[in-house]
């Protein structure tokens, strides 16, 4: 369509044809869409960059993983928990059953549990001759007359006293003839020919469980010790008949 002419104040103004007006409108809309797409792409790129480890500003996050304090292995949700029978060492051999409060430190094998000063260690309270403490004791009976006992003790005076008390237990075990072992069932010293060892103080700070074994009055006594801060656990086992 030809361009239209209009006379304004004596001046001829040429108006663009309808097709040209439509083409100009299409070009403007195309430019707007292109600008909007560019802005969206920039926003997406910025968001993706912010998710990278270095952050949007390129700096590195050097905080690393947050360390968590280890939990008390002897108390869960404020309740002291002795070992369930299935978790007492050598359960695959002796098949432990908890005695529900029935004493196990009696009879020929049960008496062995009270050797090496372990009867005193497992007292419920101790006043006047040592640090105040609270003790939690469980007894177990197994096949062929085997007996076991766990004593968990919390020393109110703190970790230093618990450490000293555990070192005293180590010394009494050595004096009684028990020796440190790997904890395997067959790993029992053959007799008193091994001289008692000097107990390094660092031994009471060792993480995990320490095992001791020896012959007492013809029976095999095994002792497993563990400490966490002011808490000490001692598990005693007297093997059953072979």
């Amino acid at each position: 369509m030809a361009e239209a002419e209009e006379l304004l104040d004596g001046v001829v103004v040429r108006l663009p044809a309808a097709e040209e007006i439509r083409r100009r409108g299409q070009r403007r809309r195309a430019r707007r869409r292109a600008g909007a797409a560019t802005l969206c792409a920039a926003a997406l790129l910025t968001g993706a960059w912010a998710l990278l480890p270095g952050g949007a500003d390129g700096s590195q996050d050097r905080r690393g993983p947050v360390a968590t304090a280890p939990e008390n292995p002897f108390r869960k949700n404020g309740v002291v928990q002795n070992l369930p029978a299935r978790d007492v060492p050598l359960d695959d051999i002796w098949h432990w059953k908890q005695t529900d409060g029935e004493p196990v430190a009696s009879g020929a094998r049960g008496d062995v549990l009270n050797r090496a000063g372990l009867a005193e260690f497992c007292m419920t309270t101790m006043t006047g001759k040592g640090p105040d403490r609270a003790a939690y004791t469980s007894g177990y009976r197994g096949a062929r007359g085997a007996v076991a006992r766990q004593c968990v003790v919390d020393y109110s005076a703190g970790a230093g006293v618990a450490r000293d008390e555990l070192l005293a237990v180590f010394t009494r075990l050595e004096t009684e003839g028990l020796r440190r072992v790997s904890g395997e069932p067959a790993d029992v010293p053959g007799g008193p020919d091994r001289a008692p060892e000097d107990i390094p103080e660092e031994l009471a700070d060792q993480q995990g469980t320490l095992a001791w074994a020896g012959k007492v009055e013809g029976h095999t006594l095994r002792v497993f010790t563990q400490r966490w801060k002011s808490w000490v656990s001692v598990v005693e086992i007297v093997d059953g008949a072979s």
Side-chain angles (χ1 to χ4, degrees):
M1 178 184 292
E3 293 182 345
E5 294 184 356
E6 184 175 349
L7 184 63
L8 296 175
D9 297 329
V11 178
V12 177
V13 178
R14 295 183 180 276
L15 300 176
E19 291 85 351
E20 179 63 22
I21 292 173
R22 283 195 294 271
R23 282 196 296 271
R24 292 178 183 178
Q26 290 171 352
R27 286 196 294 270
R28 282 195 297 270
R29 286 193 293 272
R31 284 196 296 271
R32 291 195 199 101
R33 286 196 294 268
T38 302
L39 289 174
C40 290
L44 289 173
L45 181 60
T46 301
W49 183 257
L51 293 175
L52 294 175
D57 60 355
S59 61
Q60 295 294 321
D61 186 352
R62 303 181 183 277
R63 289 174 296 178
V66 178
T68 57
E71 294 184 355
N72 185 342
F74 310 118
R75 184 171 62 187
K76 303 295 182 184
N77 299 321
V79 179
V80 177
Q81 296 184 339
N82 287 81
L83 290 172
R86 66 180 179 275
D87 291 340
V88 176
L90 308 183
D91 177 61
D92 56 332
I93 298 174
W94 305 121
H95 311 296
W96 301 112
K97 302 292 184 184
Q98 198 158 354
T99 60
D100 296 326
E102 178 190 349
V104 294
S106 60
R109 284 187 173 81
D111 287 344
V112 176
L113 295 175
N114 289 327
R115 298 292 293 268
L118 295 175
E120 181 179 279
F121 177 82
C122 284
M123 290 173 58
T124 303
T125 59
M126 182 170 63
T127 57
K129 54 178 180 179
D132 292 339
R133 64 185 186 172
Y136 308 85
T137 302
S138 290
Y140 313 85
R141 293 191 182 276
R144 304 195 300 276
V147 292
R149 177 172 65 184
Q150 183 194 23
C151 301
V152 175
V153 181
D154 177 23
Y155 293 91
S156 60
V161 171
R163 181 177 184 269
D164 293 343
E165 290 295 304
L166 184 56
L167 284 171
V169 170
F170 293 162
T171 300
R172 291 194 294 267
L173 293 176
E174 285 279 341
T175 302
E176 191 70 39
L178 278 70
R179 300 293 180 264
R180 274 185 293 158
V181 295
S182 67
E184 295 297 324
D187 192 3
V188 180
D193 53 331
R194 234 172 106 187
E197 298 179 355
D198 292 331
I199 304 298
E201 292 188 1
E202 294 77 13
L203 195 62
D205 297 322
Q206 183 168 324
Q207 298 296 314
T209 300
L210 296 174
W212 308 71
K215 294 287 187 178
V216 177
E217 297 182 356
H219 301 289
T220 299
L221 173 63
R222 306 175 192 271
V223 179
F224 300 82
T225 64
Q226 183 182 2
R227 182 174 78 87
W228 184 86
K229 297 185 178 180
S230 64
W231 295 74
V232 175
S233 167
V234 173
V235 177
E236 312 162 67
I237 293 175
V238 180
D239 285 3
S242 23

